[in-house]
Amino acid sequence: LTGTMTSVIQSILDKEYQERSDIIELLRCSEEESLLLYRKAAEVKERYLGNMVYLRGLIEYSNVCGKNCLYCGIRRDNRGVEHYTLTREEVIEAAMTAYRLNFGSIAIQSGENTSETFVSNIEELIVTIRNMTKGRLGITLSLGEQKRETYKRWFDAGAHRYLLRIEASSPDLYRKAHPDDGMHNYYNRLECLQIIKETGYQTGTGVMIGLPCQTLTHLADDILFMRDFDIDMCGMGPFIEHSDTPLGKNGTENLFLKERFSLTLRMIAIARIVMKDINIVASTAMQTIDKFGREKAIACGANVIMPNLTPERYRSGYRIYEGKPVYREVEEVNVSGLNMDLIPGTSIGLGIWGDTPHFNKRIAKS
């Protein structure tokens, strides 16, 4: 690496505190210059978190959703989706598979549903899983916008992490990706994030990278939003069109997906540098674009993966974007599904919750 631009990138990386203009510069850097960025992110991760990757066994509980987001394949108005909701027994079996394979945690994900039946079923499942595993299996939830009372019920039942992606921290960009139907309100979602935090959860959010009309300034502001909100976890990935949505066009044949993939790697690296001790997910969407996308994300600063434990017959129904892998990736001999040869020095944290040090510091301060 040579030239003035390289020295500019290095000087930004040497700073203790990066401003918006610095982040934009890092997002703009070339593939070759990005090597400096990735190297710095790896150093930060090793210093603050070590080189362990934590597992969250993913259980896609239901694809029934009351929302109508313009980009999501399980949106309410998509009539091409065959709806499902896992039975109590299926969820427990998946959770016990995670426990048997010595996963530290599971993550229960679903379309948004606020009915009392849904809320009660989730509450009972949390209590049952906690009891059956003697409290050893951590439980993360990603179940959308709910009432304060609902978040509290699930927290009291035993869930301890909650991921609610803001998707776009700019109110204007958020409006462009969501219908103006009274059910999609940026400020309501922001309030839910605040309630989640106040309830006591380890709090996570994230954004899509490559949305129509999105700029590098938007992405820089996304990083600053997450930093200033003081999140504990980050889950973000490339925007991948779904052909059955208003924003869908070419799905995984989109010519710009590789650019979004590279931009997502830079976002992960920058997030690691700016928010040194949080947990960052290497999303399945990365694997959709690149066979080794998750491994590359880990090399650039991510430290959490979510192997899919949803029963195979339901996986094609939870296609929130085009090309989502539906194969069974978890095996007895390799529970993470990762190619560890591509990420030397990395180890899998079996039987460990993998709580972020940031959460403990945040609670201590408050």
Side-chain angles (χ1 to χ4, degrees):
L1 292 176
T2 58
T4 304
M5 185 62 192
T6 300
S7 62
V8 169
I9 297 298
Q10 189 61 62
S11 66
I12 293 172
L13 295 175
D14 288 340
K15 287 185 177 182
E16 184 64 29
Y17 185 90
Q18 284 79 27
E19 300 176 356
R20 177 204 262 185
S21 59
D22 296 325
I23 295 172
I24 293 172
E25 205 66 67
L26 293 175
L27 288 169
R28 188 180 287 132
C29 68
S30 68
E31 288 296 310
E32 187 180 18
E33 291 159 345
S34 293
L35 297 177
L36 292 173
L37 174 62
Y38 302 153
R39 192 177 306 145
K40 177 68 173 181
E43 291 170 0
V44 170
K45 183 175 73 169
E46 183 174 8
R47 177 180 175 185
Y48 286 86
L49 298 171
N51 280 321
M52 193 166 287
V53 172
Y54 301 108
L55 307 181
R56 314 276 187 254
L58 179 62
I59 303 173
E60 296 162 330
Y61 176 65
S62 176
N63 67 352
V64 178
C65 189
K67 291 294 186 72
N68 216 17
C69 304
L70 302 180
Y71 50 81
C72 183
I74 63 170
R75 63 195 304 267
R76 186 186 66 233
D77 286 356
N78 185 2
R79 306 303 179 194
V81 174
E82 183 177 346
H83 289 120
Y84 76 86
T85 299
L86 299 186
T87 66
R88 177 182 185 275
E89 291 71 26
E90 286 169 331
V91 176
I92 291 172
E93 182 182 354
M96 294 310 292
T97 296
Y99 185 59
R100 176 175 56 83
L101 293 175
N102 207 19
F103 281 33
S105 301
I106 58 170
I108 302 175
Q109 187 179 55
S110 175
E112 294 202 18
N113 189 335
T114 58
S115 71
E116 176 57 29
T117 298
F118 179 85
V119 172
S120 297
N121 286 346
I122 294 294
E123 182 179 33
E124 194 273 334
L125 283 167
I126 295 168
V127 171
T128 300
I129 292 166
R130 292 282 288 169
N131 288 338
M132 291 181 70
T133 64
K134 299 180 174 61
R136 296 192 186 107
L137 193 65
I139 300 177
T140 301
L141 301 179
S142 183
L143 304 173
E145 298 175 27
Q146 302 288 339
K147 297 177 182 177
R148 182 183 291 270
E149 295 76 16
T150 300
Y151 291 130
K152 183 71 162 59
R153 283 173 63 178
W154 291 342
F155 183 78
D156 290 344
H160 60 108
R161 302 188 191 100
Y162 203 105
L163 176 68
L164 180 67
R165 298 201 341 178
I166 195 71
E167 302 297 10
S169 67
S170 159
D172 290 337
L173 186 58
Y174 184 92
R175 274 197 298 271
K176 288 181 172 67
H178 300 86
D180 185 16
D181 60 1
M183 293 185 64
H184 300 76
N185 186 295
Y186 172 86
Y187 296 101
N188 287 347
R189 200 161 184 88
L190 190 59
E191 182 181 11
C192 284
L193 260 179
Q194 186 61 43
I195 292 170
I196 289 165
K197 194 175 184 182
E198 292 170 0
T199 301
Y201 288 98
Q202 294 178 46
T203 304
T205 193
V207 297
M208 286 183 291
I209 297 153
L211 279 169
C213 303
Q214 188 181 60
T215 66
L216 294 186
T217 300
H218 282 132
L219 292 174
D221 287 342
D222 289 338
I223 294 284
L224 297 176
F225 166 83
M226 291 186 281
R227 182 202 67 189
D228 295 344
F229 195 84
D230 207 14
I231 64 168
D232 306 302
M233 312 179 299
C234 174
M236 56 187 174
F239 168 61
I240 302 175
E241 287 91 340
H242 192 291
S243 56
D244 292 329
T245 66
L247 291 184
K249 294 177 183 176
N250 301 314
T252 52
E253 295 181 4
N254 192 309
L255 295 174
F256 298 105
L257 285 182
K258 289 186 178 180
E259 286 78 2
R260 293 178 201 166
F261 178 85
S262 297
L263 193 54
T264 302
L265 288 181
R266 293 200 286 278
M267 281 286 286
I268 289 171
I270 294 166
R272 173 58 65 208
I273 291 165
V274 172
M275 297 171 281
K276 297 175 172 53
D277 57 356
I278 69 169
N279 283 339
I280 300 177
V281 177
S283 71
T284 304
M286 299 294 282
Q287 191 180 14
T288 301
I289 299 174
D290 186 302
K291 181 180 179 181
F292 300 114
R294 293 184 305 173
E295 288 86 348
K296 292 178 181 180
I298 289 166
C300 294
N303 69 322
V304 172
I305 63 164
M306 300 171 67
N308 201 334
L309 297 177
T310 307
E312 289 183 70
R313 64 195 181 101
Y314 296 111
R315 294 192 190 184
S316 61
Y318 206 85
R319 190 150 312 172
I320 52 181
Y321 50 84
E322 210 85 77
K324 184 171 178 283
V326 297
Y327 57 84
R328 189 167 184 82
E329 61 188 8
V330 176
E331 300 176 355
E332 296 277 353
V333 295
N334 182 11
V335 295
S336 70
L338 295 173
N339 185 332
M340 302 302 291
D341 292 337
L342 298 180
I343 37 178
T346 299
S347 59
I348 302 298
L350 294 176
I352 303 172
W353 278 17
D355 288 343
T356 163
H358 184 85
F359 174 73
N360 297 326
K361 293 177 185 175
R362 178 167 68 79
I363 293 300
K365 282 193 298 182
S366 63

